[in-house]
Amino acid sequence: MSDRDPFILKLETFAALDEGDRDLLRDRCRRIVAMRAKEEIVQEGADPQVVHLVLSGFACRYKILADGSRQIVAFLLPGDFCDLHVFILDEHDHNIATLTDCRLALLSREDVTALCGRPRVARALWWSTLVDQAILREWLLNIGRRSAEERVAHLLCELLERLRNVGLVSADNSFKLPVTQGELADTLGLTVVHVNRMIRNLRDMDLIAVSGRQIMVPDVEGLKRFCGFRANYLHLERDRSRPDDALAESEAFAMRVD
Amino acid sequence: MSDRDPFILKLETFAALDEGDRDLLRDRCRRIVAMRAKEEIVQEGADPQVVHLVLSGFACRYKILADGSRQIVAFLLPGDFCDLHVFILDEHDHNIATLTDCRLALLSREDVTALCGRPRVARALWWSTLVDQAILREWLLNIGRRSAEERVAHLLCELLERLRNVGLVSADNSFKLPVTQGELADTLGLTVVHVNRMIRNLRDMDLIAVSGRQIMVPDVEGLKRFCGFRANYLHLERDRSRPDDALAESEAFAMRVD
DNA sequence: CGCGTTGTTGAAATTCCTCAAGAATAGTGG
DNA sequence: CCACTATTCTTGAGGAATTTCAACAACGCG
């Protein structure tokens, strides 16, 4: 693995890791499992004692209603942890599944403990959990108060920024979105048919260009303006006012597990 | 303050605090501020270094769109922390305001550090953050995939259980809901008019009884069945399989801040 | 008592969904 | 490499849920 691993890239968004931090991360993420598309990673009600980290591919969290309708409540992209909460909460309140073929790192309780022994890494894990929460709030706003067209556009803006952050967007602002329109519908609280029409609208307005599962955004600012996208909730700008050195010295946020 | 303080009740849902833990909590929550209804507690973009804890009254997190429409993304009830994340994230991505007159405890960075020095308290704070996240997921499902009638019913079920947990529900399953229908609409992604009609429907079906701002639920199981409410996402059952003593001994989850 | 906020209801407009069917695409086995 | 099948995408038309607009009643507060 190289420094360009998505999960290291992602954690470095917030904490300026040193070589020791990175080595530890690489070392603890050595247990890797490959999964096919549309397989279950974690079932609701389960109490597994392993943390999953997406190395490549797309996965999602979702919930299902009795009538079979599904709500996807998070996209898990390369660099995202699936279930950091597993050591605190008693049981899973949602399912996690792959959307595409995935490579996942498996971390034991000891691995997480070791990672949390490093203040900067611990802080980065906390940060990653809190960003997940911020994304949930934004999605709630998206579904609750934006029109269907804006919802689709907003989700694409978010994916553009999140994927860019882990090096998965090319120079022309295009990225692979290996997700069906049905899955987008389950994410946005819409039906497949309507998502399809909204995507068509965005294409007709030249806000996006779709070829297969590749999305190209010709005018990023234009798309963001259209749906009122502001990236602040992703907290991708590391806070310069809180020097990492001071943090490291004070061993702030050491979170130890067992 | 007595052992019956809502915030202590809430934290005890998960961690079996001892007298020392409770004393520390009471001690650190001594700085109290009273606020009137509909005042701002935290503004988006701000970087305050104080954590707020609701002692009495209702508050909410919310986000606003450019066109003025609002989405409430969390209800903050007695015992809930408003902004535990403040020491990690650089800036607030949402606003927090009171809905009713409130009493809030103010915790400094040092207070939080002190609380996190106690493993059981630290774990309870983590737990409270993760439950907030679980509630966000359920709300997303609620808005994304349930009918308007079910949405209202589901929110009432959640409030019933959360308020019961902090001792604010009477024996006949009634509780005070000091929230306007407009605020419910902004929570559920609906309009005031429609919320009003849905409440009427629930009344007509005898699933709830409303008198002023008091809600009575004559048949709790019936209401839950109607909207498919399952309380598991609130994680109110402390996990008996993980003895607190072992936890305490191992100093698990000590989260230190500065 | 008067005034602003909140609750309530009706009717028309709009968004989004459902149903249905055909076209394109991807995957599979021969 | 092709035929076959399943999944996904696309479009149309009609229907249902929800919103918008508008008006008035009820309530709470100074």
Side-chain angles (χ1 to χ4, degrees):
Chain A
M1 294 192 194
S2 78
D3 283 4
R4 306 286 85 188
D5 286 326
F7 71 97
I8 293 190
L9 275 175
K10 178 172 174 193
L11 293 181
E12 291 203 326
T13 321
F14 186 70
L17 307 180
D18 64 21
E19 227 6 90
D21 295 331
R22 281 190 285 263
D23 285 343
L24 178 66
L25 277 163
R26 282 189 216 101
D27 186 54
R28 292 292 175 168
C29 295
R30 252 200 215 123
R31 231 167 99 214
I32 294 174
V33 63
M35 295 186 73
R36 304 308 307 272
K38 294 170 213 295
E39 285 183 352
E40 297 288 323
I41 300 175
V42 173
Q43 305 262 15
E44 181 170 357
D47 178 21
Q49 291 294 322
V50 179
V51 171
H52 300 81
L53 168 61
V54 181
L55 297 178
S56 68
F58 278 37
C60 70
R61 297 178 205 288
Y62 68 95
K63 294 197 153 211
I64 296 248
L65 290 182
D67 70 356
S69 58
R70 175 173 74 155
Q71 178 67 45
I72 292 179
V73 296
F75 277 151
L76 300 168
L77 312 182
D80 288 337
F81 285 91
C82 299
D83 39 18
L84 256 183
H85 42 75
V86 89
F87 298 136
I88 303 272
L89 296 182
D90 46 333
E91 72 165 53
H92 279 285
D93 53 39
H94 61 277
N95 303 293
I96 305 177
T98 58
L99 292 169
T100 69
D101 292 355
C102 279
R103 279 170 52 246
L104 303 172
L106 304 181
L107 286 88
S108 66
R109 178 177 275 258
E110 293 71 43
D111 290 327
V112 177
T113 308
L115 293 181
C116 291
R118 296 222 157 216
R120 280 180 299 239
V121 177
R123 194 178 162 107
L125 295 185
W126 250 108
W127 164 79
S128 125
T129 298
L130 294 176
V131 169
D132 286 351
Q133 204 161 349
I135 292 174
L136 279 168
R137 286 190 292 264
E138 189 68 32
W139 282 27
L140 208 49
L141 172 65
N142 207 30
I143 295 193
R145 285 295 180 229
R146 273 193 265 255
S147 72
E149 249 170 11
E150 292 169 328
R151 275 187 229 182
V152 176
H154 196 278
L155 179 61
L156 293 178
C157 286
E158 178 184 307
L159 290 173
L160 182 70
E161 294 308 328
R162 285 174 63 188
L163 289 171
R164 192 202 303 285
N165 190 234
V166 289
L168 294 174
V169 172
S170 15
D172 65 341
N173 290 309
S174 72
F175 59 94
K176 191 151 185 277
L177 182 61
V179 164
T180 68
Q181 294 185 2
E183 286 156 351
L184 289 178
D186 285 346
T187 305
L188 296 166
L190 300 168
T191 57
V192 201
V193 175
H194 208 57
V195 165
N196 183 282
R197 289 189 236 253
M198 298 303 105
I199 289 177
R200 161 145 302 283
N201 290 356
L202 294 178
R203 290 167 69 164
D204 291 347
M205 289 185 275
D206 288 320
L207 287 172
I208 61 172
V210 183
S211 60
R213 290 198 166 156
Q214 193 81 11
I215 307 276
M216 205 265 277
V217 184
D219 172 14
V220 175
E221 282 315 307
L223 186 65
K224 289 183 178 176
R225 211 175 315 115
F226 174 75
C227 60
F229 180 86
R230 286 175 51 224
N232 65 324
Y233 71 97
L234 295 173
H235 298 277
L236 296 178
E237 300 294 321
R238 197 189 321 154
D239 186 3
R240 307 294 167 186
S241 69
R242 295 180 203 176
D244 292 294
D245 296 337
L247 258 171
E249 279 161 29
S250 67
E251 297 237 331
F253 290 97
M255 175 189 80
R256 279 171 284 130
V257 188
D258 240 321
Chain B
M1 294 191 195
S2 77
D3 282 6
R4 306 284 85 191
D5 286 327
F7 70 97
I8 292 189
L9 276 175
K10 176 169 175 192
L11 294 180
E12 291 203 325
T13 326
F14 186 70
L17 306 180
D18 65 21
E19 227 7 90
D21 295 332
R22 281 191 285 263
D23 285 342
L24 178 67
L25 276 163
R26 282 188 216 101
D27 186 55
R28 293 291 175 168
C29 294
R30 249 196 219 126
R31 230 167 99 214
I32 293 173
V33 64
M35 296 186 72
R36 306 306 308 271
K38 295 173 211 294
E39 286 183 352
E40 298 288 324
I41 301 174
V42 172
Q43 304 263 13
E44 181 169 356
D47 178 21
Q49 292 293 322
V50 178
V51 170
H52 299 81
L53 168 60
V54 181
L55 297 177
S56 68
F58 277 37
C60 70
R61 297 178 206 288
Y62 67 95
K63 294 196 153 213
I64 296 251
L65 290 181
D67 70 356
S69 59
R70 176 172 74 156
Q71 177 68 43
I72 292 179
V73 296
F75 277 150
L76 301 168
L77 312 183
D80 289 338
F81 286 91
C82 300
D83 39 17
L84 255 184
H85 43 75
V86 90
F87 298 137
I88 302 271
L89 295 182
D90 46 331
E91 71 166 52
H92 279 284
D93 53 39
H94 61 278
N95 304 292
I96 304 177
T98 58
L99 291 169
T100 68
D101 293 354
C102 280
R103 279 171 52 247
L104 303 172
L106 304 180
L107 286 87
S108 66
R109 179 177 276 259
E110 293 70 43
D111 290 327
V112 177
T113 308
L115 293 181
C116 292
R118 296 223 158 215
R120 280 180 299 238
V121 178
R123 194 178 163 107
L125 295 186
W126 251 108
W127 164 79
S128 127
T129 298
L130 294 175
V131 169
D132 286 350
Q133 204 161 352
I135 292 174
L136 280 168
R137 286 191 292 263
E138 189 68 30
W139 282 26
L140 208 49
L141 172 64
N142 207 29
I143 295 194
R145 286 293 181 233
R146 275 193 264 254
S147 72
E149 248 171 11
E150 291 170 328
R151 276 187 228 182
V152 176
H154 195 279
L155 179 61
L156 293 178
C157 286
E158 178 184 307
L159 290 172
L160 181 70
E161 293 309 328
R162 285 174 63 190
L163 289 171
R164 192 202 304 284
N165 190 236
V166 289
L168 294 174
V169 172
S170 19
D172 64 342
N173 291 309
S174 72
F175 58 94
K176 191 150 183 275
L177 183 61
V179 163
T180 68
Q181 293 185 1
E183 286 156 351
L184 289 178
D186 285 346
T187 305
L188 296 166
L190 300 168
T191 57
V192 202
V193 175
H194 207 56
V195 165
N196 183 283
R197 290 191 238 257
M198 297 304 105
I199 290 177
R200 161 147 303 283
N201 290 356
L202 295 177
R203 290 167 70 165
D204 291 348
M205 288 185 275
D206 287 320
L207 287 172
I208 60 172
V210 183
S211 60
R213 291 199 165 156
Q214 193 83 10
I215 307 276
M216 205 265 276
V217 184
D219 172 14
V220 174
E221 282 315 307
L223 186 64
K224 289 184 179 176
R225 212 176 313 115
F226 174 76
C227 60
F229 180 87
R230 288 175 49 223
N232 66 323
Y233 71 98
L234 295 173
H235 298 277
L236 295 177
E237 298 294 324
R238 196 189 320 155
D239 185 4
R240 306 295 168 186
S241 69
R242 297 181 199 175
D244 292 293
D245 296 336
L247 257 172
E249 280 162 27
S250 68
E251 296 236 331
F253 290 97
M255 174 189 80
R256 278 170 285 132
V257 188
D258 240 319

